[in-house]
Amino acid sequence: MSKEIPLISEQYYHIYNRGNNGENLFIEERNYQYFFKLYIHYIYPIANTYAYCLMKNHFHLLVQMKPEKDLTSFENLSSMNSKQFSNLFNAYTKTINNTYQRTGSLFEKPFKRILVDSDTYLTHLVNYIHHNPQKHGFTNDFRTYPYSSYQTIYQQKNSRIKGQQVMEWFGNLKSFVEYHKQFDETKIQHLI
């Protein structure tokens, strides 16, 4: 995707990126936790998160930008959403560079974003995001992968993830599980 699309209030987006030149983003376990800490600081004020998966060299997020009325603490709403994601990536990069004696950009620029414009796309995308670590060989079973929202949603844990709403998109827990058993990347391939 060559053209950056704006992140508009109340719209859903598939946000994803990978390490510059295929480099790993997460070197140790603690890196995942640190990324989540920064994510809470920079992204939760501007967006709700519905699904995520962090893998060694890339990540996927399903977010909905918050309504403008909820963002009164920000001055320039039109560019603020993208800026917050950039702030997250820059803060994370700075720490990784300092910790591992590296220099330069860690993430590809610009980060990728696709507008999610249908309910069907939402459910396919949740499924795609959760299957991603198995697809790329980071685990043999996506359901047990520790850096994904699957278990949080499946176990209906109280968290910052909007798991209850995700469950409503699928109808119920049984449908959520069954839908994930029938993973078919071709249903979403043209959108990613």
Side-chain angles (χ1 to χ4, degrees):
M1 202 168 193
S2 59
K3 183 181 176 193
E4 283 186 47
I5 60 171
L7 298 175
I8 301 167
S9 293
E10 301 186 60
Q11 297 298 312
Y12 291 93
Y13 293 91
H14 176 198
I15 306 284
Y16 58 102
N17 206 345
R18 65 181 183 167
N20 203 17
N21 297 315
E23 186 175 351
N24 284 344
L25 300 171
F26 306 102
I27 295 109
E28 307 177 64
E29 167 88 20
R30 66 186 177 144
N31 302 146
Y32 294 95
Q33 302 310 318
Y34 184 66
F35 185 88
F36 282 129
K37 179 181 174 183
L38 291 175
Y39 188 86
I40 290 166
H41 176 75
Y42 288 106
I43 305 307
Y44 276 106
I46 62 157
N48 292 315
T49 304
Y50 294 86
Y52 70 85
C53 188
L54 307 180
M55 291 155 284
K56 276 186 175 184
N57 61 358
H58 71 291
F59 67 84
H60 293 273
L61 309 167
L62 171 55
V63 301
Q64 181 188 33
M65 306 317 295
K66 290 187 176 178
E68 285 186 16
K69 66 179 177 56
D70 294 348
L71 304 174
T72 56
S73 62
F74 294 96
E75 292 177 21
N76 183 356
L77 295 177
S78 61
S79 64
M80 172 273 310
N81 290 334
S82 289
K83 182 71 173 160
Q84 286 297 104
F85 277 98
S86 293
N87 289 343
L88 162 66
F89 303 142
N90 289 335
Y92 183 77
T93 297
K94 183 177 180 181
T95 299
I96 293 297
N97 284 353
N98 288 337
T99 303
Y100 299 101
Q101 292 78 50
R102 68 175 303 282
T103 60
S105 184
L106 179 61
F107 294 91
E108 287 187 352
K109 293 179 183 174
F111 68 92
K112 313 302 185 287
R113 72 286 304 264
I114 300 174
L115 177 67
V116 179
D117 57 3
S118 74
D119 292 344
T120 301
Y121 188 5
L122 281 172
T123 54
H124 289 336
L125 184 57
V126 170
N127 198 5
Y128 173 80
I129 288 171
H130 289 155
H131 274 86
N132 221 261
Q134 186 170 327
K135 171 188 169 187
H136 291 289
F138 294 114
T139 184
N140 292 327
D141 185 351
F142 73 91
R143 294 168 294 190
T144 61
Y145 188 71
Y147 312 111
S148 158
S149 55
Y150 180 84
Q151 279 298 319
T152 300
I153 295 168
Y154 174 76
Q155 295 176 5
Q156 300 176 11
K157 291 180 182 177
N158 186 16
S159 77
R160 295 178 190 265
I161 299 297
K162 299 291 185 184
Q164 186 59 43
Q165 189 167 348
V166 172
M167 200 61 71
E168 289 171 13
W169 295 340
F170 289 89
N172 56 44
L173 179 60
K174 182 179 178 185
S175 296
F176 175 80
V177 170
E178 287 303 312
Y179 195 90
H180 278 73
K181 286 181 183 176
Q182 302 169 21
F183 178 61
D184 181 0
E185 187 175 332
T186 61
K187 291 180 178 180
I188 196 171
Q189 191 61 44
H190 66 289
L191 300 170
I192 54 175

